[in-house]
Amino acid sequence: MTEKSGKSRIPELSNIPWGGPVSVTQYAKVGRDLSRDLGEEFNLGSDELYAVLIRSFKGHAVLSVFGAPDVRLRARRVVRRLKRAAELQKASGIELVKFHAQFRKEFIDIIPPAKPSSRKPEFNWNDV
């Protein structure tokens, strides 16, 4: 499978091999951490962007008189989208926790019997 330019996988996640329950746990933890970091970055970025957009109208006599109320409204609209992205990243982290819990619920209790030693299993159920 070839990757298109600009659309590459996230190395922190794509480098985790699907080898057993430990890898599922690791994938969920790394994904959750990335979601939290990205959400926090979006949240901080939205506050900074609002300040920059408002400040861009200060010092302009005509723009500050006629455009000030409008620029605050427009800046809030733009920043609201970034804050929404931050909320969605937080929700993504929560879903990864639920993903891990669902995996444990569905598969850990029904670990299949050991396979003959001559065959190496593709998914190691014993690395819990």
Side-chain angles (χ1 to χ4, degrees):
M1 187 167 128
T2 61
E3 293 180 10
K4 295 180 182 179
S5 63
K7 294 187 177 184
S8 60
R9 294 183 67 186
I10 299 170
E12 293 89 346
L13 293 173
S14 64
N15 291 335
I16 299 172
W18 294 110
V22 169
S23 62
V24 174
T25 301
Q26 184 181 10
Y27 194 88
K29 284 181 180 179
V30 170
R32 183 192 65 209
D33 292 343
L34 288 171
S35 294
R36 285 179 178 172
D37 291 346
L38 191 55
E40 189 59 29
E41 178 59 37
F42 286 160
N43 198 22
L44 292 173
S46 68
D47 295 337
E48 293 172 2
L49 178 61
Y50 183 78
V52 167
L53 292 173
I54 298 300
R55 191 174 353 138
S56 67
F57 274 76
K58 293 191 180 191
H60 295 34
V62 175
L63 294 177
S64 64
V65 171
F66 296 111
D70 189 44
V71 76
R72 282 180 171 51
L73 177 65
R74 289 175 184 226
R76 277 195 302 267
R77 285 184 193 151
V78 170
V79 168
R80 188 179 317 134
R81 295 294 179 179
L82 202 50
K83 286 191 180 284
R84 178 72 177 143
E87 290 174 19
L88 291 172
Q89 287 304 312
K90 183 178 178 182
S92 172
I94 292 169
E95 283 301 316
L96 283 163
V97 170
K98 291 179 180 180
F99 150 73
H100 182 255
Q102 190 71 37
F103 169 77
R104 294 192 64 79
K105 177 183 175 185
E106 301 292 340
F107 288 100
I108 295 300
D109 292 337
I110 56 168
I111 295 176
K115 296 185 178 187
S117 60
S118 63
R119 290 177 38 196
K120 182 178 179 184
E122 291 181 23
F123 194 86
N124 183 5
W125 289 99
N126 297 322
D127 70 350
V128 178

